[in-house]
Amino acid sequence: MCLQKDPQNRIQSFKELRSQCESLLAQSFGREHLPPKPEAGTLTTDDLIAKGYSLDAVGRHEEAVECYEGILMSQYEPVVMNNMALALNHLGRHEEAIEWCDRALAISPDFSDILINKAVAFEGMGRFEESCQLYQTLTRESEPTYLAWYKAGNMLVEFGEQRQALHYY
């Protein structure tokens, strides 16, 4: 479908993609398992989160922030707050990112992605010791992310603590 050599044989629209995927799903699982078609003009919170995340991923950070602001006007979701912090970090608005991280942590203190975004914000502000402490804290969690180990090691190298950094690599 998508990987045809000739561009004319590739899927040209989301409508065409959905149509082909629906037929595959129907063949495999039956028509009753197909997701409902979205209504024109209505976006759910999940749709807005996905839209904001996608906009941020392609470098349209201001538009991502607008998506998240729209959601946060009516509800405080830690995932949305975390995504807002991510977009604000990309814009260099690190103090605002830290504020959103703190709000999200008040609701969901064990959400490690929030701590990573907060550490990134500290790093962007030149507050390297605080950033390194957060990365080190993250490595002590039950399921630490590779990024926390990597960043903690890198920061310790920057501080001239190569021997200690080895622990994180």
Side-chain angles (χ1 to χ4, degrees):
M1 283 195 284
C2 296
L3 301 176
Q4 297 291 323
K5 284 187 176 186
D6 182 3
Q8 297 305 314
N9 293 335
R10 294 180 194 152
I11 292 175
Q12 302 295 314
S13 68
F14 286 112
K15 184 177 181 179
E16 187 179 345
L17 176 65
R18 181 179 175 100
S19 172
Q20 289 192 19
C21 288
E22 280 180 343
S23 65
L24 288 172
L25 282 170
Q27 287 173 10
S28 300
F29 303 106
R31 288 245 169 246
E32 66 276 2
H33 294 289
L34 292 177
K37 290 187 177 185
E39 295 177 29
T42 58
L43 292 178
T44 66
T45 299
D46 288 340
D47 294 333
L48 287 170
I49 291 170
K51 181 179 178 181
Y53 190 81
S54 297
L55 288 167
D56 193 50
V58 297
R60 294 167 60 181
H61 311 299
E62 288 288 348
E63 292 172 79
V65 167
E66 289 174 16
C67 273
Y68 300 137
E69 285 175 339
I71 299 167
L72 292 167
M73 288 174 65
S74 62
Q75 59 184 320
Y76 285 124
E77 255 320 298
V79 171
V80 180
M81 294 176 184
N82 181 59
N83 290 357
M84 173 71 97
L86 177 67
L88 290 168
N89 273 331
H90 287 141
L91 291 168
R93 293 163 54 185
H94 304 297
E95 288 180 14
E96 289 175 76
I98 289 171
E99 290 173 17
W100 281 109
C101 288
D102 288 341
R103 290 178 187 171
L105 287 168
I107 297 169
S108 184
D110 297 327
F111 189 4
S112 63
D113 287 357
I114 299 168
L115 290 174
I116 288 174
N117 276 328
K118 189 172 181 177
V120 168
F122 281 141
E123 194 174 344
M125 296 171 66
R127 293 167 59 179
F128 301 114
E129 288 181 17
E130 290 164 284
S131 180
C132 188
Q133 287 172 353
L134 280 177
Y135 290 130
Q136 289 173 319
T137 299
L138 284 163
T139 64
R140 292 187 289 273
E141 287 190 350
S142 60
E143 295 182 31
T145 66
Y146 77 92
L147 181 62
W149 287 90
Y150 174 77
K151 294 289 266 180
N154 283 356
M155 300 214 74
L156 288 166
V157 167
E158 291 295 317
F159 295 146
E161 302 284 342
Q162 284 81 1
R163 289 180 81 75
Q164 190 178 355
L166 285 174
H167 169 73
Y168 294 96
Y169 294 129

